Amino acid sequence: MKYEVVIGLEVHVELSTKSKIFCSCSAEFGAGPNEHVCPACCGMPGMLPVVNKRVVDLGMTAGMMLNCHINRTTTFDKKSYYYPDLPCAYQTTQWFAPVAVNGYVEIDTPSGKKKVRIKQIHMEEDAGKLVHDIAPDTTHVDFNRTSVPLIEIVSQPDLSSADEVIAYLERLHSLLRFARVSDCRWEQGSMRCDVNLSVRPEGSTKLGVRTEIKNMNSLTAIARAIEYETARHIDAIENGTEVLVQETRRWDDAKGKSFSMRTKETAGDYRYFPDPNIMPIVIDDAWFDEINASLPEFPEVKRERYITELGLSEYDADQITSSRALCDCFEDAYSVCGKAKDCANWIISEVMSILNSKKMTFDMLTLDGKALGALINLVCDGTVGRANGKKVLLAMFDDASIDPKKYAEENGFIVSNDTSLVESVVKKVCDSDPQTVADIRGGRDKAIMALFGRCMKELRGNCDPQVLRKALMDYING
Amino acid sequence: MSTKKTIVLDDMILTKTMPTTAGSRMLEGYMSLFDAEAVTSLTEAGYEILGKAKCGEFAIDLVGESCYFGCELQDGHFVNDLCEKVKAGSIGVGLDVNGSIRRASAQAGLISIKPTYGTASRFGTVEVACSGETVSVVGSTADDCAEVLSVIAHHDTKDGTSLSSDLCDKVKVCAKKAKKVAILSSSLDGVDDEVRAKIDTFKAILEKNGVEVCVVDSDIFKFARPAWNILMCSELCNNVSRFDGVKYGYRSSNFTTIDELYTNSRTEAFGELLKSAILFGSDNLSTDNYDRAYDKALRVRRVIVEAFDRIFEDFDAVLCPACSKMAYTPEDIKNNKHLCFEENAYTAPASITGLPSVALAGVTLIGPAFSDGMLLDIARMYEEVCK
């Protein structure tokens, strides 16, 4: 018999806010244990939650990017369970009126475009982290991650293969990063996902027994887990190797197997109820419109526009639209210099290589695109040599306030129009190396590059290469 | 030297320099890292905080008798520690969760005000039933209450339910003189002769002052208590779940697993009354009972708010008993260990609605939101006569 697999995902994404959801502690990843904590996120009595407005902004942004209906009155609720990484023994989340509902995401599949429906997006706080490897018999708790804001994106069970799941997750990754909702870094846990999966005979409308694999944090592991679970379900159905029960499972990537964590019968009751300390949040038209107006173009729309309107190659457009920061930089530079191809070249060859050498991701780019546009103008109109232009760019990375023209002037990077200076340098260099001059006159044209390089060095790069080449040829031939 | 009276806090108000226990073994010796907003604003206004008074465990009992650290008896009756300190010359500030401050002050010949919900910041109070509990003031006179209320009533960005400055300021003045006061028929159920006489005395004084007093048919006092008990215990169950023995407070030495650490710490540190409230609350929030218990109670809350709104179309305030009898004995508790979930019939209407309430001389007055100043003004009519 043929089977089809039915998959729905719950994707957790940490929001890119400076501070936590209910207190002013830093939400940044990577600090030492319990450095980003206060009485509120440690669950001490007497601290009341005050909602970080930025969290709601980003929740709405995510909802709009995923074509959701935004609930104009959205509320927070409490979810109770005991676990040492949850200091209050309840998580503040959204249960009754989440910020966004009923959306969809389009993905590409071999048989064409497919809509994956989004059931809801809700805002909530993250839990802390248990550390087991400090001492053999004790577990330590790190509350840095406690109350870092999250959204959970719940899809309908519309996915039917590991490939579709990966395509869906990559699409979410791209849209959320583009809208600056999250940096979506799987390796830092800022994007994680729970996979709900069941198997049924092809054509059947009745869903099979569903299992949930918790806390997946890499695309390859997700694909492997889906293959494994699908095979396990089919084996159970066909051969009766085991009785499938609705349960939560843990994926062990090293062993390549999933293991039961808890069944439905042993699952706790979360006792959801509205949080009386957080008043319902009313999203008025002005707030809604402000967020709506701040949404970025979808990446594929940008890509298309870069190719058809600005004349970029497909390769260049792909490179730049891989990151919102690169797009912003490109568009700002273009707005100043109007030279799309040059902007793309500078970003792809120079900016990206500096980022790589500094081990920064593209999204970490803070370069002022308008200043880059001004620099491109200086190089294109011959005011600054290309090699010196790169030096200016490097300085602009370290100090965002640098004005390229002023910096070029202060550091002697302005191309000289003084032909008598060029001629005197050419004479000095040629006279010091009569052998090479004689070789060139004898027909070894390539040797001219050695003299050209020495002259350029002598002129500290501040010479139009065409002017220097002409002066050199004139001197040798004349 | 300040001529101001000193302040005594009940042990639900967190202080940096003194332990805060909430009357529970769970928090024995607990030192807060910060002061409650009420403490900060009173200190800034030049008041000296003299110390702490004991309270019942998480302030849900009658008058403090469930305190882990003991409760005094006088002539065979329980006495409230905060009221004793007020009698000695201070002004008391505490958290009114389930009416114990109103009951105790009305029984002790003192006066208390539970201000309009949202006007006095709850930042730095031990959370129990957040949707109704309010920082309250106990004094020897209405003027004492008004004076301290004017300091603690202000907008606070650290409390998401704190109202705007304009609204907070409203409780500091008496906007109008009371002309008509209602006694709700259901509120007199179950009170003894002594309390009934207190109501009659108060009624007579009001009438002598030209205030018309009418008995009005209303079910409010029948339904507020069960609904409030559901909401209070549910919120309590959730709020005290943070006391799990992991981070601070009491930890049992008898455990091998994390579940035993939780269970044994809480079993050993929480008292019987609190455990009853936790279990009741937990049951109300369970998936099976949520709709017919918690959600129903939220609906009843709205019905009660609307019923009060209708009464306040014709009346300026409601006069009702503060308790069924003027003192509680250990015998009362022995006969009914859940008496506090019955005696709160008289205080639950103001708790569940957040309406302001003044308690004195065995009675309480409930008024519309922000009528705090007017309620204290009514209380002064009584003080004039009994001076």
Side-chain angles (χ1 to χ4, degrees):
Chain A
M1 197 188 294
K2 284 197 122 189
Y3 293 92
E4 64 175 357
V5 53
V6 179
I7 304 169
L9 297 187
E10 291 163 25
V11 179
H12 287 89
V13 173
E14 269 182 9
L15 298 176
S16 297
T17 56
K18 286 199 177 67
S19 54
K20 293 186 177 183
I21 185 167
F22 300 125
C23 60
S24 55
C25 289
S26 166
E28 210 175 311
F29 177 82
N34 294 313
E35 282 178 4
H36 291 169
V37 298
C38 73
C41 50
C42 286
M44 292 179 178
M47 297 293 289
L48 298 169
V50 178
V51 179
N52 178 348
K53 178 178 173 285
R54 193 73 198 124
V55 172
V56 187
D57 286 348
L58 294 178
M60 288 162 69
T61 304
M64 291 177 187
M65 290 300 283
L66 307 187
N67 306 296
C68 291
H69 168 75
I70 303 297
N71 272 328
R72 291 305 191 93
T73 300
T74 184
T75 56
F76 279 96
D77 308 293
K78 294 181 169 196
K79 172 183 181 178
S80 296
Y81 64 93
Y82 283 88
Y83 204 63
D85 68 2
L86 192 65
C88 282
Y90 60 79
Q91 179 194 30
T92 305
T93 178
Q94 297 198 288
W95 180 252
F96 295 104
V99 64
V101 293
N102 298 337
Y104 66 88
V105 167
E106 257 183 358
I107 58 169
D108 289 316
T109 72
S111 50
K113 292 227 180 271
K114 177 172 180 174
K115 265 187 190 175
V116 181
R117 291 168 300 155
I118 305 290
K119 181 169 175 262
Q120 68 175 55
I121 300 176
H122 57 260
M123 307 178 280
E124 61 188 22
E125 57 179 339
D126 210 340
K129 212 171 71 181
L130 296 184
V131 184
H132 301 286
D133 54 3
I134 292 178
D137 295 330
T138 54
T139 292
H140 294 244
V141 194
D142 180 357
F143 289 133
N144 281 349
R145 205 178 63 181
T146 310
S147 289
V148 167
L150 289 178
I151 49 171
E152 180 174 337
I153 302 163
V154 184
S155 83
Q156 297 285 5
D158 289 350
L159 297 154
S160 46
S161 70
D163 286 347
E164 285 187 9
V165 167
I166 302 300
Y168 169 76
L169 288 170
E170 283 180 341
R171 182 68 180 154
L172 283 188
H173 189 265
S174 160
L175 290 176
L176 297 175
R177 279 161 51 102
F178 239 75
R180 299 220 162 99
V181 168
S182 169
D183 59 7
C184 295
R185 297 178 75 161
W186 292 97
E187 76 284 3
Q188 291 185 357
S190 66
M191 188 161 182
R192 330 190 267 274
C193 121
D194 304 337
V195 179
N196 287 285
L197 179 149
S198 65
V199 167
R200 65 183 171 190
E202 209 172 65
S204 164
T205 51
K206 196 168 160 274
L207 288 167
V209 175
R210 170 167 60 94
T211 56
E212 178 179 19
I213 315 165
K214 277 273 186 211
N215 247 329
M216 304 295 298
N217 58 8
S218 92
L219 290 176
T220 48
I222 290 166
R224 276 158 55 91
I226 289 172
E227 304 292 349
Y228 174 87
E229 267 308 276
T230 307
R232 189 178 72 85
H233 279 236
I234 292 174
D235 200 30
I237 296 165
E238 290 206 324
N239 307 322
T241 45
E242 59 180 311
V243 178
L244 291 175
V245 288
Q246 188 176 331
E247 62 181 348
T248 301
R249 296 178 74 86
R250 179 178 58 83
W251 173 251
D252 186 326
D253 206 42
K255 295 199 173 79
K257 283 183 171 175
S258 70
F259 296 93
S260 179
M261 283 168 76
R262 54 177 184 265
T263 61
K264 196 188 172 200
E265 282 66 37
T266 59
D269 185 336
Y270 289 131
R271 297 185 160 76
Y272 289 99
F273 75 105
D275 189 336
N277 281 322
I278 304 174
M279 296 289 99
I281 296 165
V282 177
I283 298 164
D284 60 15
D285 287 349
W287 192 2
F288 182 93
D289 293 344
E290 178 200 324
I291 299 301
N292 199 27
S294 75
L295 298 183
E297 262 176 317
F298 277 24
E300 67 276 10
V301 176
K302 267 193 199 298
R303 179 183 177 278
E304 192 58 30
R305 187 166 60 85
Y306 288 175
I307 294 167
T308 54
E309 286 179 27
L310 305 181
L312 294 193
S313 68
E314 290 196 0
Y315 174 81
D316 287 358
D318 281 341
Q319 293 289 305
I320 291 171
T321 55
S322 67
S323 149
R324 169 79 184 279
L326 292 181
C327 289
D328 286 353
C329 184
F330 169 77
E331 289 178 22
D332 282 347
Y334 175 74
S335 75
V336 167
C337 75
K339 301 177 184 73
K341 183 67 194 160
D342 288 305
C343 290
N345 284 344
W346 272 83
I347 286 174
I348 293 166
S349 54
E350 309 304 340
V351 172
M352 282 179 165
S353 73
I354 295 174
L355 285 170
N356 283 335
S357 71
K358 289 179 180 289
K359 303 207 182 326
M360 290 161 72
T361 65
F362 297 158
D363 282 337
M364 288 158 84
L365 180 67
T366 54
L367 182 70
D368 176 2
K370 293 207 158 91
L372 175 64
L375 174 63
I376 291 170
N377 267 341
L378 292 174
V379 174
C380 287
D381 69 14
T383 311
V384 172
R386 188 165 176 103
N388 282 336
K390 291 181 194 174
K391 288 181 192 159
V392 177
L393 180 64
L394 209 52
M396 286 159 63
F397 261 82
D398 296 331
D399 180 357
S401 69
I402 284 177
D403 172 66
K405 178 127 194 248
K406 211 164 145 231
Y407 185 84
E409 282 167 359
E410 284 166 3
N411 289 275
F413 291 158
I414 301 294
V415 168
S416 169
N417 294 320
D418 183 352
T419 46
S420 64
L421 175 69
V422 176
E423 280 161 12
S424 74
V425 167
V426 165
K427 183 172 186 302
K428 191 176 136 198
V429 169
C430 289
D431 290 354
S432 71
D433 189 359
Q435 183 57 51
T436 305
V437 174
D439 288 350
I440 296 165
R441 284 181 180 145
R444 251 192 79 213
D445 286 351
K446 277 186 181 162
I448 199 167
M449 287 318 293
L451 295 178
F452 181 88
R454 265 180 262 159
C455 290
M456 201 50 124
K457 197 177 173 198
E458 195 79 19
L459 288 159
R460 302 185 57 218
N462 293 326
C463 183
D464 185 330
Q466 302 298 332
V467 173
L468 177 59
R469 178 175 292 272
K470 185 169 181 300
L472 204 51
M473 292 307 287
D474 286 351
Y475 186 80
I476 293 168
N477 296 332
Chain B
M1 264 295 279
S2 169
T3 55
K4 286 176 168 144
K5 283 192 173 178
T6 53
I7 302 288
V8 172
L9 307 167
D10 85 1
D11 220 3
M12 298 295 286
I13 312 282
L14 291 155
T15 44
K16 235 172 13 184
T17 55
M18 296 174 266
T20 305
T21 68
S24 179
R25 184 183 193 188
M26 181 55 91
L27 286 176
E28 188 169 9
Y30 177 76
M31 293 295 288
S32 172
L33 295 173
F34 59 96
D35 279 330
E37 176 64 13
V39 174
T40 306
S41 50
L42 283 165
T43 308
E44 279 172 7
Y47 285 90
E48 185 196 346
I49 311 286
L50 201 60
K52 286 282 188 77
K54 291 186 289 188
C55 64
E57 190 172 23
F58 291 94
I60 60 168
D61 65 2
L62 291 167
V63 289
E65 72 284 357
S66 69
C67 182
Y68 173 71
F69 308 98
C71 178
E72 307 293 316
L73 288 171
Q74 248 171 38
D75 306 328
H77 303 133
F78 293 115
V79 292
N80 176 274
D81 199 27
L82 186 63
C83 287
E84 290 306 298
K85 306 288 197 291
V86 173
K87 281 181 184 169
S90 294
I91 298 176
V93 173
L95 187 71
D96 188 317
V97 177
N98 189 32
S100 58
I101 289 179
R102 276 169 284 167
R103 275 187 292 277
S105 55
Q107 292 173 347
L110 301 170
I111 173 170
S112 65
I113 179 156
K114 180 187 85 69
T116 303
Y117 184 83
T119 59
S121 170
R122 288 182 295 111
F123 177 82
T125 60
V126 179
E127 303 90 336
V128 181
C130 297
S131 72
E133 67 202 10
T134 310
V135 175
S136 299
V137 186
V138 191
S140 303
T141 64
D143 288 347
D144 282 354
C145 290
E147 182 189 316
V148 167
L149 177 61
S150 73
V151 177
I152 63 169
H154 58 262
H155 177 65
D156 181 11
T157 53
K158 301 185 292 304
D159 176 354
T161 64
S162 174
L163 297 170
S164 69
S165 299
D166 287 354
L167 293 174
C168 291
D169 284 344
K170 284 187 169 189
V171 305
K172 301 174 188 176
V173 294
C174 175
K176 67 185 233 188
K177 285 262 167 205
K179 289 199 180 65
K180 277 180 87 176
V181 168
I183 294 174
L184 307 188
S185 53
S186 58
S187 72
L188 297 172
D189 293 349
V191 301
D192 70 7
D193 292 344
E194 191 183 5
V195 174
R196 203 170 282 263
K198 297 276 180 193
I199 291 282
D200 290 340
T201 305
F202 209 96
K203 177 169 176 268
I205 290 171
L206 290 181
E207 285 169 344
K208 207 176 286 174
N209 278 273
V211 179
E212 190 187 338
V213 182
C214 310
V215 175
V216 174
D217 217 25
S218 164
D219 286 338
I220 288 177
F221 281 74
K222 235 186 216 152
F223 298 118
R225 181 188 69 83
W228 173 244
N229 281 336
I230 290 170
L231 297 180
M232 172 177 67
C233 294
S234 301
E235 292 179 31
L236 173 148
C237 165
N238 169 268
N239 274 320
V240 303
S241 59
R242 78 190 69 208
F243 305 116
D244 56 8
V246 173
K247 306 160 291 280
Y248 52 76
Y250 181 87
R251 178 187 284 190
S252 171
S253 52
N254 170 31
F255 69 91
T256 49
T257 65
I258 184 70
D259 285 335
E260 281 174 15
L261 185 155
Y262 291 146
T263 308
N264 296 343
S265 300
R266 292 163 65 84
T267 302
E268 291 163 27
F270 286 154
E272 288 307 311
L273 184 67
L274 191 74
K275 284 175 191 160
S276 303
I278 292 171
L279 291 177
F280 181 60
S282 170
D283 199 41
N284 289 318
L285 289 175
S286 68
T287 308
D288 287 345
N289 290 331
Y290 183 87
D291 286 344
R292 63 171 177 240
Y294 190 84
D295 191 63
K296 182 70 76 63
L298 286 180
R299 288 163 201 275
V300 171
R301 163 180 271 161
R302 194 169 64 215
V303 169
I304 293 173
V305 167
E306 289 165 0
F308 268 117
D309 284 348
R310 280 194 300 278
I311 288 165
F312 292 137
E313 283 171 14
D314 300 320
F315 297 92
D316 299 311
V318 165
L319 169 66
C320 59
C323 39
S324 73
K325 53 193 294 200
M326 288 304 285
Y328 304 109
T329 64
E331 192 70 10
D332 292 335
I333 308 294
K334 224 178 110 190
N335 293 336
N336 181 359
K337 55 184 182 180
H338 296 148
L339 189 59
C340 62
F341 302 125
E342 294 175 13
E343 274 299 279
N344 63 359
Y346 310 100
T347 52
S351 297
I352 201 170
T353 54
L355 294 173
S357 180
V358 164
L360 75 164
V363 309
T364 62
L365 296 156
I366 304 169
F370 312 113
S371 69
D372 310 54
M374 183 196 70
L375 297 179
L376 287 171
D377 191 58
I378 298 175
R380 286 189 191 95
M381 296 177 191
Y382 180 88
E383 288 177 348
E384 278 300 311
V385 175
C386 300
K387 235 180 345 204

